[in-house]
Amino acid sequence: RAPAMFGRMGQGTYWTGKTLAAIAHLMTIAAEAGEEDAARTLETLVRRRFLQWFTGAGPRFVFDRSTGSVLGYPEEFGSVAAMNDHHFHYGYWIMAAVQLARRDAAWAAPGAGGGMVGRLIADIATAERGRADFPFLRNFDPYAGHSWAGGDGIYFGHGNNQESSSEAVNAWAALVFWGELTGDRVLRDLGVYLYLHETEAVLQYWLDVDGTLL
């Protein structure tokens, strides 16, 4: 049934990434439950989908110098036209890559799948200022303490919005895991910073756990 999950809701960067992450997690669960045949079948599905997108055979990611961004086609939810939701979309891809890298460290190497994963990470969370390719922390607002999803600030007159804090948290958790798996301590620590600030913002601004905002 897993192959049928692809395309049920959409064919673009969001729904493909979300499906990839779900199947990759299921792969890990199957392996830990001793169902290695099922895990290998699921791994094959995940690998094929990554290969399809990473090599540009049909659906694809491309680097656009004019925007300083990795853009995915087909786009969904204005991810290209309005630069929306990149950390939501790419967070799922990175999390799926984490699960695959747990089984195959060689796949995570820069000369293999890890090279493109690194570009997705740089798109949403470059910590260096003044780079020629990607902007500093594209989606995260250090002053506000959380990320923004809208790329053009128009969102029905409500500014940049952040309609899915849980998906932002998922993206930053994926950075922590990827940094730990690949030995990139700088990335791991950046992921920890983003994760802790985003979750605290959710608790305070969205849930008002201390009862100070109402």
Side-chain angles (χ1 to χ4, degrees):
R1 297 180 180 180
M5 293 173 63
F6 287 107
R8 291 181 64 182
M9 300 295 292
Q11 301 283 352
T13 49
Y14 178 76
W15 287 110
T16 300
K18 198 166 188 175
T19 302
L20 262 177
I23 293 176
H25 280 302
L26 184 59
M27 170 189 73
T28 300
I29 293 170
E32 292 180 354
E35 300 290 340
E36 187 56 34
D37 288 345
R40 281 194 293 268
T41 298
L42 295 169
E43 180 182 350
T44 297
L45 288 175
V46 171
R47 284 180 179 274
R48 287 177 178 171
R49 195 61 54 149
F50 269 118
L51 183 64
Q52 180 186 40
W53 279 75
F54 283 5
T55 58
R60 65 201 182 278
F61 290 107
V62 298
F63 176 67
D64 184 83
R65 293 187 181 279
S66 66
T67 57
S69 180
V70 173
L71 303 177
Y73 297 92
E75 71 167 316
E76 286 177 324
F77 302 105
S79 56
V80 172
M83 296 292 290
N84 289 340
D85 301 350
H86 280 209
H87 57 325
F88 297 165
H89 295 210
Y90 298 171
Y92 285 118
W93 289 83
I94 299 163
M95 187 63 82
V98 164
Q99 304 308 320
L100 186 53
R102 290 179 64 188
R103 290 176 62 84
D104 183 4
W107 183 87
M116 190 62 213
V117 175
R119 300 290 271 182
L120 296 180
I121 291 171
D123 183 83
I124 64 173
T126 290
E128 302 170 49
R129 297 181 184 272
R131 281 178 53 158
D133 49 2
F134 296 104
F136 175 73
L137 293 180
R138 182 190 305 278
N139 291 97
F140 192 80
D141 183 344
Y143 178 80
H146 61 79
S147 51
W148 297 107
D152 58 13
I154 296 175
Y155 195 69
F156 302 106
H158 298 299
N160 292 93
N161 89 84
Q162 173 72 338
E163 83 280 4
S164 184
S165 57
S166 61
E167 290 182 308
V169 170
N170 173 73
W172 311 143
L175 265 58
V176 176
F177 292 141
W178 186 261
E180 185 68 20
L181 281 170
T182 60
D184 187 339
R185 293 185 177 182
V186 173
L187 177 62
R188 179 201 63 187
D189 292 349
L190 172 63
V192 170
Y193 167 85
L194 296 170
Y195 181 88
L196 290 176
H197 281 74
E198 192 86 48
T199 53
E200 184 63 21
V202 170
L203 292 173
Q204 296 299 331
Y205 302 150
W206 274 260
L207 302 180
D208 191 22
V209 293
D210 292 330
T212 59
L213 301 180
L214 299 177

